Amino acid sequence: MESGPAIFAGLVFALFGAGLLAWTTTRVRHGRPVALGVSPVASATVASVAAVSALGVGAWCLTQA
């Protein structure tokens, strides 16, 4: 019964990370800003790090299930 919340949290983190990474990649490829009013390189870097971190946390949660 305890694996249910871990699976749910892992899937949420993994979906968020994958979506953020796809969105960031699309914005960078089209030359659009990732965040308004911020350096394009800095915003793309921070968004990419957050996406990879979310994917890592999601993978960790799924391995704990």
Side-chain angles (χ1 to χ4, degrees):
M1 288 308 266
E2 294 178 5
S3 65
I7 292 171
F8 177 75
L11 288 176
V12 168
F13 275 113
L15 286 173
F16 173 74
L20 181 60
L21 194 59
W23 180 78
T24 302
T25 303
T26 303
R27 297 293 285 185
V28 169
R29 282 189 179 183
H30 285 76
R32 308 278 308 212
V34 176
L36 295 176
V38 183
S39 165
V41 174
S43 62
T45 303
V46 169
S48 297
V49 168
V52 171
S53 297
L55 283 171
V57 170
W60 180 78
C61 286
L62 289 172
T63 59
Q64 300 300 312

